[in-house]
Amino acid sequence: MKFGIIRERKNPPDKRVVLSPKLCKNVLQQHSKAELIVEPSPIRIFSDKEYEEAGINVASEMVDCDVLLGVKEVPIEALIPNKKYFFFSHTIKKQPYNRKLLKAVLEKNIELYDHEVITNQNGQRLVAFGRYAGIVGAYNGIRAYGLKYDVFVLPKAEDLKDQKALIAELNNIQLPKIKILLTGKGRVGNGAKEMLDAMNMKRVNVAAYLTDDFNEPVYCQIDASEYNKRKDGVRGNKADFFANPEDYKSNFFRFSKVTDFYIAGHFYGDGAPFLYTREDAKHPDFKIKMVADISCDIDGPVATTIRPSTIADPIYGYDAKSENEIDYKQENAIAVMAVDNLPAELPRDASDGFGEAFSKYVIPAFFNGDKDGILERARMTLNGELTKNYKYLQDYIA
């Protein structure tokens, strides 16, 4: 089985890679029937030379490979027909901007495996960049807070080497006595939590957060069961909420009244209520003035996120009254950081973490007959057609 690591061609450029030189070496040592070729790239965070020094073949011969590994969407004109591809296709939610890409995948008889649906038998994701989105998102949010209020200036995450460097910068600043709310306890939420903990910030429980005053910055991490409640008044729980989101309404506003800075690191599913609406943001008791929306669902559950922002220009302002974008430094502006490709700002760490999981779960599946069904669950297309689990996309591509 010959694997090719393709050059990232999407714009803006992404420096991440599925397998670092060290992990490529590990794969070849563990699987005697595996071969690896790395396509040359001028932008990849690991240079061609680093791969060559690890004994990995660097060449443009992707046509000779059986399986091609990428991170972001492959431009249609760069797709090689009749190959197996792994990348984030951003089509499983019927994203309109990638409809033509999925159609081209089918027309070119490509077997597409989407990283987003590489799961275990319980449906839990096995490979993801979520932790790094949380790490960078929390850092970017704190950086944005300093810029909005002119209290400190942090360098951009993309200009720093790794997570350690981000943490070192955070420990050079002093946050005022603010309350920070963090939603989500998965990879993203816990990645953000790592950064708050690294600053030695005090974590408080829901009751204390809602009622007490503190002489230092504090944070509270909450999950779906704490910001939603059942419409019928019956006591709900997280499992019930995920199974029956339409039976719930938001209970988030009580947090809005005491929160200065909100970090959104939750997963948002179809049918779930919004955390807060545009009307909520107009309420005189709505206190949030800084939002780091790592989840970045546009016009979704965090109503102040009206568009994604970019690594180059990461912050914009939202005026609750007019529902329009304004300068984030204006007093009435809610500052929004909603970069939708946060892990790309920490490419070395993110590639290492992602690649460890990929080489642990996915590569072995090619050599053990896919005994755990990992490849089967992640395969979206086969023989020019959508596979069974993805037939729901038929109307999207038609």
Side-chain angles (χ1 to χ4, degrees):
M1 183 67 69
K2 192 180 279 188
F3 298 90
I5 294 176
I6 58 175
R7 171 182 168 179
E8 296 296 318
R9 289 177 167 84
K10 190 181 176 184
N11 212 18
D14 196 307
K15 296 179 179 179
R16 291 174 293 170
V17 65
V18 174
L19 295 172
S20 68
K22 180 183 159 193
L23 288 166
C24 284
K25 209 171 169 181
N26 289 353
V27 166
L28 295 177
Q29 284 169 352
Q30 289 169 15
H31 303 283
S32 59
K33 292 183 180 176
E35 286 182 62
L36 264 165
I37 301 178
V38 176
E39 186 175 12
S41 168
I43 58 156
R44 192 182 287 128
I45 193 62
F46 299 99
S47 67
D48 295 346
K49 191 179 176 199
E50 285 178 87
Y51 282 99
E52 286 166 346
E53 285 172 351
I56 310 302
N57 186 10
V58 177
S60 299
E61 297 150 16
M62 295 297 105
V63 178
D64 297 340
C65 297
D66 306 299
V67 184
L68 299 173
L69 310 177
V71 177
K72 301 293 274 185
E73 300 100 311
V74 176
I76 290 170
E77 65 278 8
L79 289 168
I80 303 170
N82 309 312
K83 296 291 179 190
K84 294 177 168 71
Y85 269 94
F86 279 79
F87 56 83
F88 286 103
S89 73
H90 297 120
T91 58
I92 61 170
K93 293 180 184 172
K94 302 186 178 182
Q95 290 95 320
Y97 54 89
N98 277 335
R99 192 171 74 92
K100 286 180 181 172
L101 173 62
L102 188 55
K103 287 182 79 165
V105 162
L106 293 167
E107 284 161 12
K108 291 172 186 278
N109 191 34
I110 285 165
E111 216 171 290
L112 174 63
Y113 299 80
D114 194 307
H115 294 307
E116 204 169 336
V117 286
I118 297 172
T119 59
N120 64 15
Q121 279 143 329
N122 300 321
Q124 293 164 317
R125 287 182 66 182
L126 295 173
V127 296
F129 285 108
R131 178 185 165 220
Y132 298 94
I135 287 167
V136 179
Y139 178 88
N140 280 6
I142 293 166
R143 178 178 179 270
Y145 183 92
L147 292 171
K148 176 169 172 62
Y149 292 107
D150 288 317
V151 285
F152 51 79
V153 177
L154 286 167
K156 281 190 158 189
E158 65 170 334
D159 296 329
L160 298 169
K161 186 186 174 189
D162 53 21
Q163 185 189 11
K164 279 183 186 169
L166 301 189
I167 290 168
E169 291 290 344
L170 291 178
N171 282 315
N172 284 333
I173 59 151
Q174 189 64 51
L175 278 171
K177 301 185 295 184
I178 57 171
K179 286 185 174 178
I180 300 177
L181 183 70
L182 169 60
T183 48
K185 292 184 177 176
R187 283 190 181 92
V188 175
N190 287 334
K193 178 183 181 293
E194 277 182 51
M195 301 304 278
L196 302 179
D197 289 343
M199 295 175 75
N200 297 311
M201 194 179 298
K202 183 174 183 174
R203 183 184 179 186
V204 298
N205 63 29
V206 170
Y209 185 85
L210 292 172
T211 58
D212 296 357
D213 290 321
F214 299 91
N215 291 319
E216 60 185 310
V218 299
Y219 82 93
C220 180
Q221 185 182 22
I222 60 173
D223 216 338
S225 57
E226 285 148 326
Y227 57 81
N228 293 294
K229 61 181 179 181
R230 282 187 63 95
K231 293 173 182 173
D232 58 11
V234 173
R235 188 177 174 85
N237 58 54
K238 192 175 163 186
D240 181 52
F241 170 72
F242 283 122
N244 308 290
E246 66 285 347
D247 294 340
Y248 283 75
K249 61 182 179 179
S250 174
N251 193 23
F252 185 88
F253 196 77
R254 59 192 181 136
F255 294 100
S256 305
K257 294 196 276 191
V258 298
T259 297
D260 301 290
F261 173 7
Y262 168 42
I263 303 173
H266 55 270
F267 169 77
Y268 179 70
D270 288 344
F274 280 14
L275 281 85
Y276 61 84
T277 63
R278 293 189 181 191
E279 290 309 308
D280 289 334
K282 289 183 173 81
H283 197 286
D285 290 344
F286 188 88
K287 195 186 176 195
I288 299 169
K289 277 286 184 272
M290 176 69 233
V291 178
D293 190 354
I294 304 168
S295 300
C296 197
D297 292 298
I298 307 307
D299 281 326
V302 178
T304 45
T305 303
I306 53 176
R307 67 169 176 88
S309 56
T310 62
I311 291 171
D313 190 11
I315 315 159
Y316 60 88
Y318 175 81
D319 176 38
K321 204 179 238 182
S322 68
E323 301 184 5
N324 289 323
E325 187 175 324
I326 56 171
D327 181 351
Y328 73 90
K329 287 204 168 193
Q330 286 188 31
E331 197 180 339
N332 61 324
I334 297 168
V336 178
M337 189 294 302
V339 175
D340 62 358
N341 58 334
L342 287 161
E345 293 193 65
L346 209 62
R348 195 169 280 266
D349 283 10
S351 297
D352 276 334
F354 187 90
E356 278 173 21
F358 195 90
S359 54
K360 179 181 177 181
Y361 296 111
V362 182
I363 300 288
F366 282 99
F367 300 102
N368 65 18
D370 193 26
K371 65 182 178 68
D372 300 314
I374 288 168
L375 298 178
E376 190 185 341
R377 284 188 293 274
R379 187 197 286 128
M380 291 180 64
T381 62
L382 181 65
N383 299 327
E385 293 184 1
L386 293 164
T387 56
K388 188 177 73 175
N389 290 346
Y390 302 95
K391 286 287 186 195
Y392 71 91
L393 294 170
Q394 195 67 52
D395 63 332
Y396 160 68
I397 54 166

